[in-house]
Amino acid sequence: MSTPAEQLQGLRLENGWVVGGPIPRTGAQTGGHFSCSYGVTNVDGTCAFLKAMDYTAALSAPDPATALNELTSAFLFEREVLEECADRRMSRIVRAIDGGRASAGGSTVEYLIFEEAKGGDIRKYLDCAPQFDLVWTLTCLHNICVGVRQLNGASIAHQDLKPSNVLHFPGEGQKLADLGRAWHKSRFSPHDALLFAGDWGYAPPELLYRYASPDESDRRFGADFYLVGSMVLFLFSGLRASEMLILALSPEHQPSAYRGTYEEVLPYLHHAFCVNLEEIGGWFPDAGLGKEVVDVVSQMCDPNLSTRGDRSHTAKFGSRFSLERFISRFDRLRMAAMLGRIRHP
Amino acid sequence: MSASVQEKDRHVFPRWRSFKATSRLGELALPAVELEVDTSELDVSLAKGVAGWKGDPSLWRGLDLLGTAVVAGRLQDFAALVAEIRDNPLAPIFARNVLGRTLAAELDKAPLSDCDGISNVGARQEIRASRVRLASAPRDAIEWTELARAYTIAGLNDKASKAIAAALHLSPSNRFVLRSAARFFLHCGEKERALALLGKAPTIKHDPWILASEIAIADSLGKASRHSRLAREKVGMDIAPSELTELASALGSLEAESGNHRNARRFLRQALVGANENSIAQIGWLNRSRLGEWVDASKANPPLLHEANAWNSFYKGEFEAARQESLCWFRDQPFASAPAALGSYILADIFWDYKGAKELAQAGLRSNPDDLTLLNNLAVCLMELDELTEAEAALSRVKAEGRGAKIDSTYKATFGMLAFRKGDHVEGRRLYLEAIEGAKNSGSKQNAARAAFHLVFEEIVAQSGYVEDSIRRLREFEGIEGFKEWPRFFERVNALMRAGVESGLG
């Protein structure tokens, strides 16, 4: 039997939104992810994306009270963070353009409506692209850096940056979606107690080896910084940073097998990382571009959290996980690519 | 005398191989402290990836899924998808190569070969490659250790010392770094330093590999390890036998040293379970030198079992196998003097391949420039190749003073050979006869027999009137236990006689 959140199709909501067909779930319903998605259209023809909280589904969780509490907290947290993003005019964060409550199945369903990314996520764009486009790639990386910088500047760590959360808006570029797993330095979220709230398949090595830095800001912003680096690798190679690192490790040192501490395994991680950097450098026929990418990845994806960060950062100013210099760098590289000064492949 | 072979006292010192080989041998698997691991979050992530890919089995979703599979340690479940992406021309070439390699690795289950070893020439290339890597990644302790190993193989111990210091500074408690550093200090003759390093290692109380090396080094210094009680407790713990093999072997050696053979055998039998080649070589040596009743290690066949095989074959008189195994042993441990010494002896004295023996001795001398056995063997080969000046130069580096009687007799015989080759037969004969007597007096009948044979060779080559005398002297050594070179030496006598007759000089 379907839950109220699954019965919104065809409803006319406040502010003139009409709920269209459901968007099939592409992931398993787990943890705090109790939501249903729909396409919606406004009377003025605006298409958008609706995310409805599925409280009834939460009731069937093993611990319904906790699940319900978490879901409510998560919804409120996400809504507040989205409001803050909107207030701060974060141009590279997908905007929540509306929200409210609807009656369905004898119950009230809370929802948020987001601007619609007609291009889908970047994987869809890449699947349709006839060939590798260096200018597009560098533009995308620039936009990702700007998005994360905008969040980090508001003391928010995205925590779940991955290809499916980078949406492509034709004509506008890319924006970051899904702040449901974010961390806010001065707001409580139900995920605060978790070592890592994002997708563990993308988690940085220190977290894969269960190391919790005593400095929570370092842990959260360090993870975001790593995830940006991971996107750099993914867009150029189809491989993510942790994947490359693990493939360069011997089986006994891989996180799924290793039973020791992060400190103990770190020399092996560092060695594998260095071997990878050497290999990545060899990927690029354009040595200049290769050098740039290796340098970016070496700073962003360093498996050692304590040495990860902008190498030119000085203790006096800002955070070592600041993306300012990388934004300028990708901008400069994009211009160079547009002028044909760098090429790939 | 000719080339020399001496099996020295042996201890379970840590081996020093490349990081890749050490890792493949499983010697870096056990952490000092074991933690509980919960992989449920990764299972969730993978389930989401699978569901997403099933809903839209596109290329980039597939790549995304494989990323999660790798992180979750489940790539083997997605071999078909890996193959699909590897063969998809639209997939990024890097992903195709890297993921394709994982398929190749799955298929390639070939045992670790001795090819991992690097030659002196290879060492120079390794040095260059390591330095390039370190220029961009100076905090890589493993790479510093690799660089140190390459420097050691090339005989550049000062530079190796600096590289080891850098590695220890960066990773003072890492097993690979610590054991490599200890082996380096042993190579440089700094046993006390090696002992202090391991004895103070933060992980010694938890790590049986560090503990085993510390006990072996203390034993070699004639000292009792501060950790021997802990070691005895450790071998009784519920730890994988392969992680304890060197520790049990080190404790077995201690017991054998103190004459407690029953306890020694007990530990050595434990070391046999999950044994590595170092433990087997130690058991073989203890069998030959200490234990009355042998511990049967013949069924053990761990990778790179070259040292044990080389000595076993040598003592059985299976010289072709001994030759091959000693060369493999040298490739595996290119900075160690023992494999070069055994190999050069076999090549020179058994196979009369003086050029090959000379090259091997020279290769061993690069890392061990003061090794007397290697200098001796080199000098012998040079004399056989009529390079007398070079042979004299090599022998001038041999400082026999203050050495044991066995060693003295070996070098005395070699000086005798030099005298013969320079035409001073009387002096040569005197030195040989002194060497034979010296060896007999020190209880080494085999060395005496070797010297006696070589005196025969020299008398024949010199066409002296003492050939028959020297041959008669050999009767004294007939039937010496374990002297398997006898038939080959006799063949050489016959060959030299034939050559003399054919040239009309005999």
Side-chain angles (χ1 to χ4, degrees):
Chain A
M1 189 180 154
S2 58
T3 63
E6 289 168 343
Q7 299 174 34
L8 299 187
Q9 187 173 1
L11 281 185
R12 179 175 291 276
L13 307 175
E14 296 164 19
N15 301 330
W17 294 102
V18 177
V19 183
I23 297 168
R25 284 193 180 98
T26 53
Q29 195 175 53
T30 54
H33 300 163
F34 297 102
S35 65
C36 299
S37 305
Y38 296 87
V40 289
T41 315
N42 207 328
V43 281
D44 64 2
T46 308
C47 293
F49 168 84
L50 182 145
K51 181 176 168 183
M53 298 303 117
D54 198 342
Y55 293 119
T56 315
L59 289 173
S60 60
D63 183 355
T66 307
L68 204 56
N69 185 35
E70 277 180 10
L71 180 60
T72 313
S73 306
F75 175 73
L76 292 173
F77 173 77
E78 188 174 357
R79 197 174 67 184
E80 285 168 7
V81 169
L82 285 164
E83 279 168 7
E84 186 172 344
C85 292
D87 291 347
R88 288 176 178 259
R89 298 177 191 279
M90 294 188 191
S91 56
R92 290 291 155 201
I93 304 300
V94 173
R95 277 183 305 134
I97 51 178
D98 210 341
R101 294 185 186 85
S103 294
S107 185
T108 304
V109 175
E110 288 196 272
Y111 63 85
L112 287 167
I113 293 175
F114 297 88
E115 55 183 333
E116 187 193 38
K118 288 204 165 53
D121 72 50
I122 54 170
R123 294 172 305 177
K124 188 175 171 189
Y125 179 89
L126 290 164
D127 276 323
C128 300
Q131 60 189 30
F132 182 84
D133 181 340
L134 182 59
V135 174
W136 182 88
T137 301
L138 293 167
T139 305
C140 180
L141 290 171
H142 175 266
N143 291 338
I144 290 170
C145 284
V146 171
V148 175
R149 195 266 317 259
Q150 288 175 341
L151 289 171
N152 290 179
S155 300
I156 301 165
H158 188 288
Q159 297 285 278
D160 203 16
L161 181 64
K162 55 184 178 178
S164 61
N165 284 338
V166 180
L167 306 186
H168 179 65
F169 291 77
E172 275 189 87
Q174 295 71 34
K175 297 184 183 184
L176 310 185
D178 199 354
L179 295 176
R181 317 299 287 176
W183 175 81
H184 196 301
K185 199 169 184 178
S186 46
R187 282 184 204 274
F188 166 79
S189 102
H191 314 306
D192 284 355
L194 299 176
L195 185 61
F196 181 60
D199 186 334
W200 277 84
Y202 292 84
E206 67 272 16
L207 299 174
L208 289 171
Y209 291 94
R210 304 158 291 279
Y211 170 73
S213 166
D215 183 330
E216 190 165 23
S217 286
D218 266 12
R219 189 192 341 156
R220 308 294 184 182
F221 295 121
D224 267 11
F225 197 73
Y226 180 89
L227 293 173
V228 173
S230 190
M231 289 300 305
V232 175
L233 275 178
F234 186 75
L235 287 175
F236 276 105
S237 71
L239 304 163
R240 67 184 76 159
S242 292
E243 177 184 15
M244 275 205 76
L245 185 72
I246 289 166
L247 286 174
L249 286 170
S250 48
E252 68 269 23
H253 296 144
Q254 296 180 1
S256 56
Y258 195 68
R259 298 289 175 268
T261 61
Y262 170 63
E263 289 88 344
E264 250 186 291
V265 81
L266 198 50
Y268 307 134
L269 299 183
H270 196 77
H271 184 61
F273 178 61
C274 294
V275 169
N276 278 344
L277 287 180
E278 197 183 9
E279 179 168 8
I280 294 165
W283 287 351
F284 293 86
D286 185 322
L289 178 62
K291 206 172 163 192
E292 294 274 3
V293 172
V294 166
D295 192 49
V296 167
V297 172
S298 71
Q299 295 176 68
M300 289 188 159
C301 300
D302 189 334
N304 187 345
L305 178 62
S306 64
T307 50
R308 186 182 306 153
D310 180 353
R311 213 176 286 132
S312 53
H313 161 261
T314 54
K316 273 187 179 174
F317 305 104
S319 159
R320 65 191 161 103
F321 300 124
S322 164
L323 288 159
E324 288 297 342
R325 286 190 179 84
F326 296 93
I327 290 169
S328 310
R329 194 165 189 167
F330 284 121
D331 201 29
R332 178 172 54 77
L333 287 171
R334 176 178 57 178
M335 290 302 291
M338 285 168 79
L339 295 170
R341 287 185 191 144
I342 52 171
R343 292 174 198 282
H344 188 75
Chain B
M1 186 170 160
S2 174
S4 163
V5 59
Q6 297 283 345
E7 199 175 8
K8 296 172 187 165
D9 275 4
R10 194 189 190 286
H11 302 273
V12 203
F13 290 153
R15 292 296 203 197
W16 189 8
R17 299 189 171 93
S18 71
F19 173 69
K20 195 175 167 188
T22 309
S23 192
R24 264 195 78 181
L25 287 166
E27 293 181 4
L28 304 174
L30 182 77
V33 181
E34 285 201 72
L35 305 173
E36 287 290 319
V37 177
D38 176 10
T39 57
S40 57
E41 298 103 337
L42 284 168
D43 296 339
V44 167
S45 178
L46 190 59
K48 286 164 75 175
V50 170
W53 188 69
K54 278 185 179 164
D56 177 10
S58 68
L59 169 63
W60 283 84
R61 272 182 192 272
L63 284 165
D64 210 8
L65 170 60
L66 289 181
T68 304
V70 168
V71 175
R74 299 267 299 278
L75 189 65
Q76 72 278 5
D77 299 346
F78 296 87
L81 180 56
V82 173
E84 196 181 303
I85 282 174
R86 182 197 55 188
D87 299 333
N88 185 341
L90 295 173
I93 187 73
F94 314 133
R96 292 172 64 193
N97 288 344
V98 172
L99 292 167
R101 228 164 35 210
T102 67
L103 280 181
E106 287 295 318
L107 295 171
D108 182 17
K109 297 282 186 193
L112 188 80
S113 75
D114 48 78
C115 297
D116 181 72
I118 53 175
S119 63
N120 294 113
V121 179
R124 298 277 174 179
Q125 290 164 352
E126 281 291 315
I127 289 167
R128 273 194 292 277
S130 265
R131 288 181 63 175
V132 167
R133 279 182 216 122
L134 285 165
S136 56
R139 294 193 310 269
D140 185 351
I142 306 295
E143 195 60 51
W144 279 111
T145 312
E146 299 283 68
L147 177 63
R149 182 170 173 270
Y151 274 137
T152 307
I153 293 167
L156 302 168
N157 287 355
D158 287 348
K159 289 185 173 183
S161 177
K162 285 177 187 161
I164 279 290
L168 282 170
H169 174 72
L170 290 163
S171 287
S173 58
N174 178 266
R175 182 188 302 159
F176 178 72
V177 173
L178 278 170
R179 278 169 52 97
S180 301
R183 184 65 186 81
F184 172 70
F185 294 145
L186 291 170
H187 175 75
C188 297
E190 298 179 64
K191 284 187 182 178
E192 292 282 1
R193 194 173 173 192
L195 182 64
L197 175 74
L198 298 184
K200 289 176 189 162
T203 50
I204 190 163
K205 289 188 176 156
H206 309 287
D207 192 332
W209 294 91
I210 301 287
L211 205 48
S213 301
E214 198 265 354
I215 284 173
I217 296 167
D219 184 27
S220 75
L221 283 163
K223 291 182 174 179
S225 164
R226 287 188 296 125
H227 304 283
S228 56
R229 176 184 275 188
L230 174 68
R232 282 164 208 274
E233 287 169 14
K234 205 87 183 169
V235 290
M237 287 181 180
D238 183 21
I239 299 172
S242 57
E243 306 287 349
L244 294 174
T245 180
E246 285 199 7
L247 185 57
S249 173
L251 289 172
S253 306
L254 275 185
E255 294 290 349
E257 204 69 46
S258 55
N260 194 342
H261 291 178
R262 198 172 157 188
N263 272 354
R265 280 192 291 272
R266 183 169 59 83
F267 281 124
L268 296 177
R269 284 192 195 102
Q270 180 177 352
L272 274 175
V273 185
N276 63 10
E277 64 78 32
N278 199 7
S279 292
I280 299 296
Q282 184 68 9
I283 292 169
W285 179 78
L286 287 167
N287 277 338
R288 288 189 293 274
S289 62
R290 298 282 188 276
L291 301 175
E293 188 186 323
W294 280 41
V295 173
D296 182 10
S298 59
K299 290 189 179 67
N301 190 25
L304 306 177
L305 190 63
H306 301 309
E307 181 186 349
N309 286 345
W311 285 114
N312 281 343
S313 303
F314 178 76
Y315 286 118
K316 282 183 193 166
E318 295 166 358
F319 294 118
E320 178 50 36
R323 183 184 71 86
Q324 284 185 22
E325 291 288 359
S326 62
L327 292 176
C328 289
W329 177 20
F330 182 68
R331 276 199 291 275
D332 181 36
Q333 300 288 303
F335 53 85
S337 61
L342 176 62
S344 58
Y345 172 77
I346 294 170
L347 283 169
D349 263 26
I350 309 294
F351 290 97
W352 317 334
D353 176 5
Y354 302 111
K355 193 167 173 287
K358 173 186 143 186
E359 284 170 4
L360 185 55
Q362 283 173 329
L365 280 164
R366 278 195 198 105
S367 311
N368 305 275
D370 301 323
D371 189 274
L372 298 181
T373 307
L374 289 174
L375 283 168
N376 176 77
N377 292 2
L378 174 65
V380 169
C381 295
L382 290 167
M383 283 187 271
E384 294 287 4
L385 294 166
D386 285 333
E387 297 174 35
L388 280 192
T389 312
E390 290 82 356
E392 265 194 287
L395 278 178
S396 71
R397 290 162 61 195
V398 175
K399 307 288 182 199
E401 296 85 1
R403 303 279 172 178
K406 283 181 188 174
I407 303 292
D408 271 342
S409 67
T410 302
Y411 304 133
K412 203 167 270 182
T414 307
F415 281 107
M417 181 179 179
L418 180 65
F420 261 105
R421 297 296 168 117
K422 289 172 79 177
D424 188 350
H425 303 169
V426 176
E427 175 64 3
R429 195 170 299 118
R430 185 188 69 76
L431 287 168
Y432 263 113
L433 292 173
E434 274 185 23
I436 293 165
E437 283 309 304
K440 281 197 298 192
N441 291 340
S442 66
S444 177
K445 280 199 164 183
Q446 294 185 5
N447 272 349
R450 286 181 189 122
F453 262 106
H454 281 275
L455 176 57
V456 177
F457 302 156
E458 292 309 310
E459 298 284 15
I460 297 170
V461 171
Q463 302 162 51
S464 76
Y466 292 87
V467 174
E468 283 186 22
D469 271 3
S470 63
I471 290 176
R472 218 173 291 125
R473 193 173 292 107
L474 292 177
R475 285 186 193 148
E476 183 186 342
F477 301 105
E478 267 182 301
I480 298 176
E481 196 186 347
F483 187 60
K484 302 285 185 185
E485 294 105 306
W486 187 278
R488 279 297 285 167
F489 281 11
F490 239 103
E491 269 181 58
R492 184 152 188 233
V493 170
N494 288 331
L496 288 170
M497 296 281 260
R498 273 198 308 276
V501 170
E502 280 165 17
S503 64
L505 299 171

